[in-house]
Amino acid sequence: MKLTQHWQYMLLLFTGLFVAVSACKNPDTPAPDPVSITSINPTSAPLGGTLTISGTSFNASPASNTVTFTGNAVAQIVSASPTQIVVIVPAGAQNGAITLNSGGTTVSSPSATPFQLSARPVVTVQGSISANTRWTANTIYSLRGFVYVTNNAVLTIDPGTIIRGGTRDQDPDAQNRGGTLIVERGSRLEAAGTAQRPIVFTSGRPAGQRGYGDWGGIVLIGRAPANQGTSRPLEGGIRGFISADAVANDNSGTLSFVRIEFPGVALSAQPNSEINGLTLYQVGSGTTINNVQVSYSGDDSFEWFGGTVNCRNLVALRGTDDDFDTDFGYIGRVQFAVSLRDPNVADQSGSCAFESDNYDPGEPAASANNGLPLTQPIFANVSSFGFAGATAPSTSNATSGSGPYRAAMHLRRNTAISIYNSVFTGWPEGLRLEGTATGTLNNANTGLLELQGITMVNVGVPNSTTFVAVRGLGAISNTVAQTYFNLPTRKNQVLPSTDIAALFNAQNYNLTVPNFLPPIGSALLTVSDAITGGKLADSFFQPAPYRGAFGTTNWTTGWTNFDPQSTDYDK
């Protein structure tokens, strides 16, 4: 009996202790604080500036947060923690509230402290940059006169940075030179933008007042091979000469997701006195150039003088002279390039999509290097859009230019360029093959110069004896040039203007809002018509079984600007 009472007592004791302990515990776990924004700091910042959002219960993964400024501008997130998110003020941001979506919950910044967009300070740059320098997106930089990056210095430009080119009357040296960025041998330009935050070099004039050749442009000078010896001066008054260096993999830096707008100064009416939108002297293959747009250039959009640099995703918009000019032994590779022309603007020299020379006059005995290396680049998947109408341009000067249009491809002076899987529309001539029997013609006959998978549409002025689709000049007759181009194994074709609608998008030729993607069913997308193998087996080239710069993906989306005249670059 006592034993039973003892166990009953122990049971009651344990039960009491359990109840007492349980009573001491809080049966409910406190709910986490809700997602909220308590402050933003600073409350006023320029485009490209850094801003910190403070609050509670943020997702610590940057990818799980979306920060949107008034104006539907989505910011780049630099870092995230449960209590702070650091962002960069995006292009298009406006005054007002900032919205955060964190892990599916959306909140706004306090209405009592709305964000205010401030103007970026403007820093004038002139003379030389001789030590490593960084330009940041929260500042606008204004180039005055020739600005040289020299003494093996590296100029680094952050994504989203705006650089303005000063006009010729702003030259601090009173030499009438538009602002120009010149990167000398041994120095580097590291300008790596992003699709969301491209780096923009543009005119210093306000929106609506910009024009061709408002400033100089960008010039890179490297140590890769060229065929001019050491006595050929650089064009446009730039100091220095072509060198005898032969460092094929030389590195002049990076140009990626970069826009160059309203450059290209013609310093006089004399030949070789211009600066192009992007000028590349002996630039080596260690350099990275991709996703670059040159718009409204007063001379060529892109020009290569020797060198070995490879390029991808190039855009030439409404240039004055040539879109893609190769000289002095350039031997690089280029894939995916598009040019869109303004029918009313052309140059005194006669504008082309391609102009390619070995040098003038081009024959081997005329050069200190015996003409070597030959200008022998390989271009693939190029689209050049001139004129959409049934009537191609006439032989007269362009309405707003100083000269006429000439040919989609003007290949001369012993060039050995090769062009594959490309499209040209609306040019007075499609191909102008010019030179001597031992130069250009020999290069064509031996396969050094090769044109394959070319579609030309609406080329040659109708009912004209002056312009034809394929022309030979010098020692090359029309018949010889046409026989070369029309050889069946080359798969080249010349189509009438009536084929434009089936091949191209209806908005293809819109100068401010183009759509370059071919429509579904376009013959340009026929895989069996694309050239493969041969020179395209080079490891640089990506598989692209179609003709022209575009298949089903528009690689110009996001980072390009086809209406820079209207863009506000003051903030």
Side-chain angles (χ1 to χ4, degrees):
M1 183 67 180
K2 290 183 179 180
L3 183 61
T4 302
Q5 290 176 341
H6 177 75
W7 280 108
Q8 288 175 340
Y9 172 77
M10 293 297 294
L11 180 61
L12 288 171
L13 177 62
F14 281 118
T15 302
L17 288 172
F18 177 78
V19 170
V21 172
S22 299
C24 293
K25 292 184 178 179
N26 186 349
D28 297 319
T29 301
D33 293 331
V35 176
S36 67
I37 297 176
T38 57
S39 66
I40 58 173
N41 184 41
T43 57
S44 179
L47 297 180
T50 301
L51 183 145
T52 300
I53 302 170
S54 298
T56 59
S57 298
F58 299 156
N59 195 301
S61 170
S64 297
N65 298 285
T66 302
V67 175
T68 306
F69 285 66
T70 298
N72 199 32
V74 179
Q76 176 186 348
I77 296 177
V78 177
S79 64
S81 75
T83 58
Q84 284 192 338
I85 295 176
V86 179
V87 301
I88 294 174
V89 181
Q94 300 174 10
N95 296 340
I98 296 174
T99 300
L100 165 67
N101 183 293
S102 184
T105 300
T106 300
V107 294
S108 295
S109 59
S111 59
T113 54
F115 171 76
Q116 297 288 319
L117 186 66
S118 62
R120 284 182 271 191
V122 178
V123 173
T124 297
V125 182
Q126 61 188 59
S128 295
I129 298 172
S130 55
N132 292 351
T133 301
R134 188 178 207 97
W135 290 353
T136 59
N138 58 3
T139 300
I140 293 175
Y141 300 86
S142 179
L143 303 173
R144 300 296 174 89
F146 282 4
V147 176
Y148 289 92
V149 183
T150 188
N151 193 41
N152 297 324
V154 178
L155 172 60
T156 301
I157 304 179
D158 286 352
T161 304
I162 303 295
I163 302 96
R164 296 173 177 166
T167 56
R168 287 189 276 182
D169 58 359
Q170 294 176 317
D171 183 358
D173 296 325
Q175 297 296 311
N176 201 34
R177 294 167 171 167
T180 304
L181 184 63
I182 304 164
V183 182
E184 295 193 306
R185 291 184 183 92
S187 294
R188 300 201 321 270
L189 172 61
E190 295 293 346
T194 67
Q196 297 76 29
R197 303 180 67 220
I199 295 167
V200 181
F201 292 80
T202 191
S203 168
R205 300 184 189 275
Q209 300 179 30
R210 299 163 186 148
Y212 290 88
D214 276 350
W215 62 292
I218 300 176
V219 181
L220 302 184
I221 307 169
R223 296 191 174 108
N227 62 19
Q228 290 296 295
T230 58
S231 61
R232 183 79 181 229
L234 306 181
E235 293 188 1
I238 297 170
R239 69 190 185 193
F241 295 81
I242 298 292
S243 80
D245 293 330
V247 183
N249 64 346
D250 190 44
N251 182 4
S252 293
T254 301
L255 283 177
S256 181
F257 293 104
V258 170
R259 300 204 303 262
I260 306 169
E261 302 168 350
F262 305 99
V265 172
L267 299 177
S268 74
Q270 299 300 314
N272 305 323
S273 63
E274 307 91 1
I275 295 176
N276 308 289
L278 177 59
T279 304
L280 303 170
Y281 284 104
Q282 298 181 258
V283 175
S285 61
T287 308
T288 299
I289 297 181
N290 57 56
N291 298 91
V292 177
Q293 178 180 19
V294 177
S295 304
Y296 291 87
S297 176
D299 194 53
D300 297 337
S301 294
F302 298 86
E303 184 159 10
W304 295 261
F305 293 93
T308 57
V309 64
N310 300 318
C311 307
R312 184 175 280 119
N313 294 0
L314 306 182
V315 181
L317 174 66
R318 303 175 79 164
T320 300
D321 197 5
D322 307 316
D323 299 313
F324 311 108
D325 195 342
T326 58
D327 307 274
F328 294 3
Y330 172 54
I331 57 174
R333 286 25 178 172
V334 179
Q335 188 176 26
F336 308 121
V338 60
S339 73
L340 179 62
R341 302 294 306 211
D342 185 336
N344 297 316
V345 179
D347 187 66
Q348 61 183 350
S349 64
S351 298
C352 304
F354 276 96
E355 182 176 275
S356 186
D357 310 77
N358 200 41
Y359 56 84
D360 186 5
E363 290 299 306
S367 168
N369 286 12
N370 201 33
L372 299 174
L374 283 177
T375 298
Q376 200 173 356
I378 305 171
F379 283 76
N381 299 101
V382 179
S383 293
S384 173
F385 301 110
F387 303 78
T391 302
S394 69
T395 60
S396 62
N397 288 359
T399 306
S400 301
S402 58
Y405 277 89
R406 178 172 290 166
M409 297 172 284
H410 188 187
L411 314 182
R412 61 182 182 175
R413 296 172 179 164
N414 202 25
T415 183
I417 190 173
S418 292
I419 305 172
Y420 292 88
N421 295 333
S422 297
V423 179
F424 303 91
T425 72
W427 289 85
E429 293 174 353
L431 169 63
R432 178 176 284 208
L433 195 62
E434 180 179 355
T436 65
T438 56
T440 308
L441 181 57
N442 179 68
N443 295 340
N445 287 337
T446 59
L448 294 176
L449 184 158
E450 192 59 84
L451 303 175
Q452 293 187 29
I454 306 296
T455 295
M456 301 194 299
V457 189
N458 189 30
V459 296
V461 177
N463 304 316
S464 170
T465 57
T466 304
F467 284 87
V468 293
V470 177
R471 167 179 293 281
L473 289 172
I476 306 172
S477 68
N478 284 0
T479 300
V480 169
Q482 291 163 7
T483 299
Y484 168 84
F485 185 80
N486 294 324
L487 187 70
T489 56
R490 292 195 167 91
K491 295 186 177 182
N492 298 324
Q493 55 186 184
V494 179
L495 303 177
S497 60
T498 51
D499 284 0
I500 288 176
L503 292 173
F504 305 115
N505 192 295
Q507 203 163 322
N508 202 116
Y509 299 86
N510 188 305
L511 293 179
T512 57
V513 192
N515 183 350
F516 295 124
L517 291 183
I520 296 174
S522 171
L524 300 176
L525 301 177
T526 302
V527 173
S528 60
D529 286 346
I531 299 296
T532 59
K535 295 180 183 179
L536 295 183
D538 186 292
S539 61
F540 168 78
F541 293 106
Q542 298 177 355
Y546 47 84
R547 296 192 181 201
F550 303 91
T552 58
T553 301
N554 187 352
W555 47 262
T556 68
T557 299
W559 62 277
T560 55
N561 184 358
F562 290 90
D563 189 18
Q565 183 65 263
S566 303
T567 303
D568 181 6
Y569 289 120
D570 290 334
K571 290 185 177 180

